[in-house]
Amino acid sequence: MGSHPKDVVITDEHPKTLLYQKHADYIVGYSKKKDDYEFTMTEHFRMSGMYWGITALDLLNQLDRMDSTEILDFICKCQDKGSGGFSPSIGHDAHLLYTLSAVQILVILEALDKVDVEAIVKYVAGLQNEDGSFSGDQWGEVDTRFSFCAVNTLALLKRLDAINTEKAVEFVMRCQNVDGGFGTRPGSESHAGQIYCCVGLLSITGQLHRVNGDLLGWWLCERQLPSGGLNGRPEKLPDVCYSWWVLASLTMLGRLHWINADKMRVFILATQDAETGGFTDRPGDMVDLYHTLFGLAGLSLLGESSLKPINPVFCMPQYVLDRISVTVQIMST
Amino acid sequence: MRKGKIRKFNRFHYTNEVACVKRNRQRRKTSKLERTRYRNHNKPADFFLGFSHTSGFPLLLCDSFIYITGKVSTLTTMEDVTCERIMKKIEAVLSQDTLLDEFDIVFSLGEVNRSPVVHVEHKLGLESWCVKHVYAYAYAKIMGSKQTKRREDPAQVLRWTQFCLLIAPEVTTFWNLRKVLLGQGDLSANLELHFTRLILSRKPKCMEVFQHRKWMFKNVIAKVIPQQANGPNGIDPEHHNGNGVVFHSEQIERFLFAELDLCTWAANKHQNNYHSWNHRLWVIQQFATYVGLVDVCRAEYEESHKWISVHVSEHSGLHYLQYLLDSIVSLVNESKVENVSEIVPYVNSVTKLYQRELDFNRDLIEEYEDHEALFCHRRFLLTRLRDLLCSSPQRTCSPPPPALKRSPG
């Protein structure tokens, strides 16, 4: 294989240790900042933003710093009375992406009784298509991400019986490529984010045997670059969010040890911002909640003892899944 | 390239522009509270669109706070007019200049004594100082009308969403509003196609734009025509697909060919543009449904090789070729063509097709060293050839359980 001209250089100036408290302060600070332009510009994915922040804070063992009453009040206002799905923010349109985020937060905060669960189940089931795929919302866009959102949501609600899981699995398998990876739709290029979604769906539904772990595991560990960072497709730059998509997929495939964990750790730690707290996509960029969660989640998967263990499929703290007795399938090698 | 365009905008003198936006510092008196709020403003938001702390625009920043928080509404009359005027100007440029091919936000220090809308050589620029202000106004308007479920004038909703989507095309709620208006006939498909293309000139990998165009194809352009609208004799410019369903075939073909050009253009604008290549795959799938694959595969096969020869590190382009190869093999296997040579000249078997591809790939590997994408593609070719020669497809699944276990509950 060739060398990697598209990589980053990690120097002595980049952080080498986990800036634990800085991250917690960054997340809490972010959640209180509600009156600027950035707040409006991120409104269309607010629900997911909240899930990233809450999960990250829980991994850092400081969930109690969030105002759960305010959060739950917001979530309740985002459930669409007509469809049952959740919108990213008040006034926006419901979508599977934000329905999953809302359910994840509600499960973490043990507050499912605050919303109409039956309506959620109906919403998700109503978005399954004839071929087993899922549309993201009423406008009909199909993507394996949405399949994962649907199955993930219903697994957390323990209502997988509401959909045709066999067909959902069949559709996902139609999206597999010769390289062992998965794309957004049948014929689409393999992409580490989509692979996480598809492998996650197979894990939840107990169908991981349909994947050749060696073939896919090989493709996944080829994502690691000399800097230790992972990219999502061949010849792309490394990005800390792939330390989640790829590491979680490898964990489900029982092959986490196929990558160089020490170098991976160095890369993730280098994406911290020592001044503001939070993680960036690559060393030196601007921090955001999304990369902060996936940076912490990646470190948790690698065994960082100061963080709570994370579940590789649901991207939620393991204790939460234990509490509701939801299990996932992991390949053993 | 983008920086070059921005410089071009900035060099432009606005001799013909009407000075419709007055210098705010002179015209408006702002309260001490507002000025304090500006000073306390968090840093990241200032840098959101590449702005930096420079004199001139701070007072406008304060205005945007007011609109976002919705706490102050008394200062709005004059500003509303200004916001509407800026949006109307953009709308006029978009509807009148059919050759408009580029949009971007142009950095400015906040010289507000002229229109922030720059239109030159079929390019549209919007000066940065006004973005936050007008966006906050239009956003609040859209949300206000959505929440009160008031029946707004469609022209207004179109103008507000047009502005917001130029700035933030990721907001699907705004696209959905436009879908409703497209469905009602309040918005022309051609204008919308032009508008979405303009957005791609600034954000060529914006997934929501591609999704919107796909929706338009299915629901507007290739919409099934009711049989009764077909005239008494059934004589039509449309196409029957054999199942009694009627389509505007010419319109469909025109759209699909233009869509291929759009994908090439977007792929050239952004390296490894997953969404543009994914869209191209979708276009090919529509060809299969509405037009037929043979001709388009022949043209695309050639086009794809030209592209790859100058983009050896882009796996997306190579993946597209893989999809074409699989399509060609399917056409042969399904006897839709008698021989591969009908699509690829001088190649008369599938095995030879793969051999030709391996040669093409080897030449590129020798010429351009160290490209992972080329090796990944070679793996694909070898796998396909092995499956063909050995008739034993690669195992893509694991041994059956007990190699699997459930996590402890």
Side-chain angles (χ1 to χ4, degrees):
Chain A
M1 277 293 167
S3 64
H4 296 276
K6 289 171 198 153
D7 197 5
V8 294
V9 178
I10 295 170
T11 66
D12 290 343
E13 286 173 15
H14 293 117
K16 301 278 180 269
T17 54
L18 178 59
L19 308 168
Y20 193 91
Q21 200 50 42
K22 280 260 177 200
H23 300 313
D25 295 344
Y26 161 71
I27 298 163
V28 173
Y30 189 96
S31 70
K32 293 193 171 141
K33 202 173 64 184
K34 289 179 183 162
D35 58 353
D36 64 13
Y37 181 66
E38 193 190 353
F39 191 78
T40 304
M41 295 301 283
T42 53
E43 191 104 39
H44 63 284
F45 58 82
R46 170 89 57 248
M47 190 66 78
S48 294
M50 282 172 57
Y51 152 74
W52 300 328
I54 287 166
T55 307
L57 212 53
D58 200 1
L59 291 177
L60 291 162
N61 215 4
Q62 296 186 33
L63 190 56
D64 53 356
R65 290 177 69 187
M66 283 282 191
D67 180 353
S68 59
T69 317
E70 194 189 352
I71 292 165
L72 294 175
D73 184 47
F74 173 82
I75 295 179
C76 290
K77 283 183 186 152
C78 289
Q79 185 167 28
D80 180 34
K81 297 280 176 292
S83 67
F86 286 83
S87 61
S89 189
I90 298 160
H92 283 264
D93 295 346
H95 195 285
L96 264 182
L97 287 168
Y98 311 108
T99 303
L100 170 62
S101 294
V103 169
Q104 284 174 310
I105 300 170
L106 290 166
V107 169
I108 292 173
L109 298 179
E110 295 186 273
L112 273 175
D113 58 327
K114 298 266 189 289
V115 296
D116 185 348
V117 171
E118 258 332 289
I120 305 174
V121 174
K122 213 175 140 207
Y123 175 72
V124 176
L127 289 171
Q128 188 167 30
N129 300 308
E130 198 58 33
D131 62 358
S133 66
F134 280 84
S135 300
D137 60 14
Q138 64 173 110
W139 304 102
E141 179 70 17
V142 167
D143 189 319
T144 45
R145 281 184 307 150
F146 308 150
S147 296
F148 178 65
C149 288
V151 167
N152 191 332
T153 303
L154 293 180
L156 290 173
L157 299 176
K158 296 183 173 282
R159 288 298 309 276
L160 274 172
D161 59 288
I163 54 162
N164 188 334
T165 46
E166 208 172 303
K167 276 197 151 187
V169 169
E170 264 173 40
F171 176 77
V172 160
M173 292 314 297
R174 283 178 55 214
C175 300
Q176 193 177 28
N177 291 312
V178 174
D179 54 23
F182 295 84
T184 53
R185 288 185 296 276
S188 301
E189 185 190 1
S190 295
H191 181 293
Q194 307 290 145
I195 291 171
Y196 164 79
C197 291
C198 294
V199 175
L201 184 144
L202 297 173
S203 168
I204 293 172
T205 53
Q207 299 292 314
L208 270 185
H209 60 278
R210 290 172 179 249
V211 175
N212 179 342
D214 286 344
L215 182 71
L216 179 53
W218 188 262
W219 188 90
L220 286 168
C221 68
E222 275 180 346
R223 301 302 103 239
Q224 190 162 36
L225 299 170
S227 67
L230 301 168
N231 61 18
R233 285 183 288 145
E235 296 202 53
K236 294 269 288 170
L237 281 167
D239 181 327
V240 93
C241 70
Y242 292 108
S243 49
W244 173 256
W245 312 123
V246 175
L247 292 184
S249 304
L250 282 169
T251 305
M252 291 181 241
L253 298 175
R255 286 163 174 81
L256 185 58
H257 57 288
W258 281 19
I259 59 129
N260 185 329
D262 292 338
K263 290 198 93 172
M264 177 80 258
R265 216 181 120 79
V266 168
F267 178 86
I268 299 178
L269 291 173
T271 62
Q272 298 174 103
D273 189 320
E275 199 184 317
T276 61
F279 290 71
T280 66
D281 55 353
R282 280 178 280 286
D285 288 353
M286 290 285 286
V287 298
D288 58 50
L289 283 179
Y290 173 85
H291 289 96
T292 302
L293 170 63
F294 295 125
L296 290 170
L299 289 173
S300 172
L301 271 189
L302 293 173
E304 171 62 49
S305 57
S306 59
L307 298 169
K308 286 186 186 171
I310 191 148
N311 181 285
V313 180
F314 291 93
C315 195
M316 291 159 71
Q318 181 59 43
Y319 82 91
V320 176
L321 281 313
D322 292 344
R323 189 170 66 200
I324 59 169
S325 306
V326 167
T327 62
V328 296
Q329 196 182 33
I330 301 289
M331 222 182 248
S332 58
T333 47
Chain B
M1 181 175 165
R2 210 165 119 186
K3 277 183 184 157
K5 285 283 186 259
I6 289 169
R7 277 198 295 274
K8 193 171 174 183
F9 278 131
N10 285 338
R11 279 203 307 272
F12 181 70
H13 297 289
Y14 315 95
T15 45
N16 297 324
E17 294 287 337
V18 180
C20 66
V21 184
K22 302 288 181 194
R23 191 184 291 264
N24 270 37
R25 209 184 327 194
Q26 293 170 358
R27 198 184 56 196
R28 287 188 43 231
K29 285 198 167 71
T30 48
S31 70
K32 193 177 172 188
L33 170 73
E34 282 176 82
R35 287 195 291 275
T36 314
R37 285 173 81 171
Y38 171 68
R39 277 199 296 275
N40 292 341
H41 178 52
N42 285 310
K43 213 170 50 173
D46 281 344
F47 293 103
F48 195 76
L49 290 170
F51 296 161
S52 60
H53 281 284
T54 40
S55 61
F57 75 98
L59 300 182
L60 279 155
L61 260 172
C62 296
D63 296 339
S64 66
F65 287 172
I66 295 160
Y67 289 115
I68 293 163
T69 55
K71 285 173 189 161
V72 182
S73 58
T74 48
L75 294 167
T76 55
T77 321
M78 196 60 175
E79 297 308 320
D80 285 4
V81 171
T82 310
C83 292
E84 288 287 351
R85 200 179 295 157
I86 291 168
M87 286 189 282
K88 275 183 184 156
K89 169 92 184 176
I90 291 174
E91 188 179 49
V93 172
L94 253 92
S95 60
Q96 285 158 17
D97 186 352
T98 52
L99 298 175
L100 195 68
D101 62 2
E102 203 171 318
F103 166 74
D104 214 333
I105 293 170
V106 187
F107 177 76
S108 73
L109 294 175
E111 279 299 320
V112 294
N113 197 18
R114 63 178 184 223
S115 169
V117 181
V118 190
H119 179 208
V120 54
E121 292 173 23
H122 306 296
K123 319 282 176 212
L124 175 67
L126 182 67
E127 292 195 349
S128 56
W129 64 264
C130 80
V131 171
K132 292 185 178 189
H133 188 57
V134 186
Y135 186 87
Y137 167 80
Y139 187 93
K141 280 289 191 188
I142 299 166
M143 284 302 157
S145 85
K146 265 199 102 208
Q147 274 170 21
T148 56
K149 299 201 173 10
R150 200 168 52 229
R151 168 94 180 117
E152 287 290 347
D153 174 10
Q156 282 197 317
V157 177
L158 287 173
R159 194 181 313 126
W160 297 331
T161 52
Q162 181 179 68
F163 185 89
C164 286
L165 287 166
L166 278 171
I167 309 302
E170 303 82 15
V171 186
T172 46
T173 299
F174 300 155
W175 288 119
N176 296 344
L177 284 168
R178 296 176 77 87
K179 287 188 179 85
V180 172
L181 296 174
L182 276 161
Q184 292 170 356
D186 288 320
L187 170 60
S188 106
N190 280 340
L191 271 180
E192 191 69 344
L193 289 175
H194 186 205
F195 172 57
T196 45
R197 192 183 198 279
L198 195 66
I199 289 177
L200 287 176
S201 74
R202 178 166 167 250
K203 296 197 171 180
K205 58 172 198 169
C206 183
M207 175 170 58
E208 289 76 12
V209 172
F210 291 113
Q211 287 174 1
H212 190 61
R213 291 177 75 101
K214 262 160 63 178
W215 182 90
M216 284 184 66
F217 176 73
K218 283 182 199 153
N219 295 280
V220 183
I221 293 152
K223 196 176 172 187
V224 175
I225 303 158
Q227 289 285 12
Q228 62 267 27
N230 208 14
N233 304 320
I235 301 165
D236 55 51
E238 295 98 11
H239 168 71
H240 290 258
N241 75 345
N243 301 322
V245 177
V246 185
F247 304 105
H248 275 299
S249 60
E250 198 188 312
Q251 189 172 312
I252 288 172
E253 270 196 61
R254 205 182 322 126
F255 171 85
L256 292 176
F257 278 116
E259 216 60 2
L260 287 177
D261 289 342
L262 179 99
C263 292
T264 307
W265 174 75
N268 278 323
K269 275 188 165 292
H270 199 285
Q271 232 184 20
N272 267 307
N273 190 338
Y274 188 88
H275 300 301
S276 129
W277 286 101
N278 214 16
H279 192 65
R280 197 180 192 106
L281 292 170
W282 171 82
V283 176
I284 295 298
Q285 287 157 4
Q286 305 317 302
F287 266 103
T289 306
Y290 295 97
V291 185
L293 264 185
V294 178
D295 290 340
V296 76
C297 271
R298 190 184 300 119
E300 286 294 283
Y301 179 83
E302 203 187 321
E303 203 51 43
S304 164
H305 282 77
K306 279 188 207 154
W307 166 273
I308 289 164
S309 302
V310 287
H311 298 85
V312 290
S313 67
E314 295 210 30
H315 188 263
S316 296
L318 290 157
H319 175 83
Y320 180 68
L321 174 60
Q322 294 168 14
Y323 186 84
L324 289 176
L325 292 171
D326 284 351
S327 302
I328 294 168
V329 173
S330 296
L331 286 171
V332 175
N333 290 343
E334 292 162 14
S335 305
K336 293 195 175 147
V337 288
E338 281 182 22
N339 195 297
V340 183
S341 61
E342 286 178 42
I343 297 170
V344 185
Y346 313 114
V347 174
N348 52 26
S349 77
V350 172
T351 313
K352 285 199 173 130
L353 177 65
Y354 287 127
Q355 282 169 347
R356 184 179 191 262
E357 288 303 315
L358 281 168
D359 290 346
F360 172 66
N361 177 256
R362 185 205 53 222
D363 290 348
L364 291 177
I365 287 175
E366 284 175 359
E367 194 171 345
Y368 306 99
E369 281 180 21
D370 292 343
H371 281 288
E372 188 188 2
L374 291 174
F375 284 96
C376 289
H377 181 60
R378 191 163 190 84
R379 242 188 235 159
F380 166 86
L381 294 171
L382 290 170
T383 309
R384 283 284 189 244
L385 194 60
R386 182 193 64 192
D387 293 349
L388 188 72
L389 298 176
C390 307
S391 309
S392 61
Q394 167 180 257
R395 186 174 61 82
T396 54
C397 65
S398 287
L404 303 161
K405 64 175 185 193
R406 295 298 289 195
S407 65

